[in-house]
Amino acid sequence: GQQVMQIPQYQHVQEGEDFTTYCNSSTTLSNIQWYKQRPGGHPVFLIQLVKSGEVKKQKRLTFQFGEAKKNSSLHITATQTTDVGTYFCAGVYGGSQGNLIFGKGTKLSVKP
Amino acid sequence: DTGVSQDPRHKITKRGQNVTFRCDPISEHNRLYWYRQTLGQGPEFLTYFQNEAQLEKSRLLSDRFSAERPKGSFSTLEIQRTEQGDSAMYLCASSLKNEKLFFGSGTQLSVL
């Protein structure tokens, strides 16, 4: 079935270091969304990527969507302790967002 | 508070009992989703509604699970004859069509 793989599962960084999480699908995605879940919280939307090769930036966060629309990445430059949490990608197959498939997430911890 | 509301926040039940959860979406949102999340995993899609119509249901979902959205506003998720494996956080989310999801704080279910 449709599945979104996300790596790494965990990432521990020193504050100020960069962080990247990767998301892969075996089949072409219609679009992909990224969410952040703080410890004890619920997922919060970060961004949606729709176009092949799309790159979007939000301050220190850079999101990319692959040319084949099968992979995506989230890169954080110079991590801060406020970046702590689990980052999920969620893929949409076909034209409807009804069935948004989440990856297992990458849990980021930042050591001050 | 104009966000997604879920009730109750916590539910402890004995194996074999029925439980029902309620979700109140953001008022202008026509889509409502139910997800299930266990520790260390991403949200797992259960079902979604567009207005009052249930458009998709996970094939992995047992017949013991049923969801309704009778007037296209709030939704209920019922689990009959609960099992210990049903223990999880049940998340509700709402959105406008094909736009970002807004999640509620979830209902944490513990089946003893």
Side-chain angles (χ1 to χ4, degrees), chain A residues 1-2 9-10 31 33 35 37 40-45 48 88 95-105, chain B residues 9 31 33 35 37 40-45 48 56 59 91 95-106:
Chain A
Q2 294 155 344
Q9 189 173 359
Y10 302 97
N31 64 70
Q33 299 179 5
Y35 291 78
Q37 186 171 23
H42 56 272
V44 175
F45 175 84
Q48 176 170 276
F88 294 100
S96 171
Q97 186 179 286
N99 190 349
L100 190 63
I101 305 294
F102 280 78
K104 291 188 175 183
Chain B
R9 292 293 304 273
R31 286 198 174 177
Y33 308 77
Y35 282 85
Q37 188 176 27
Q41 301 295 315
E44 175 193 4
F45 172 79
Y48 94 99
E56 192 163 348
R59 285 172 292 176
L91 293 166
S95 76
L96 295 169
K97 186 178 178 182
N98 289 343
E99 295 193 7
K100 61 185 178 181
L101 270 61
F102 291 81
F103 282 87
S105 297

Side-chain angles (χ1 to χ4, degrees), chain A residues 13-16 36 38-39 60 78-85 87 108-112:
Chain A
V13 300
Q14 191 78 33
E15 188 173 23
K36 176 183 179 181
R38 293 181 186 274
R60 296 178 294 104
T79 54
Q80 300 175 358
T81 54
T82 53
D83 295 326
V84 164
Y87 292 85
L108 173 65
S109 61
V110 179
K111 188 175 181 181

Side-chain angles (χ1 to χ4, degrees), chain A residues 60-103:
Chain A
R60 296 178 294 104
L61 276 62
T62 302
F63 303 84
Q64 294 189 341
F65 201 10
E67 294 290 340
K69 299 184 73 173
K70 290 183 177 181
N71 57 74
S72 181
S73 65
L74 158 59
H75 179 83
I76 302 178
T77 304
T79 54
Q80 300 175 358
T81 54
T82 53
D83 295 326
V84 164
T86 301
Y87 292 85
F88 294 100
C89 60
V92 178
Y93 296 88
S96 171
Q97 186 179 286
N99 190 349
L100 190 63
I101 305 294
F102 280 78

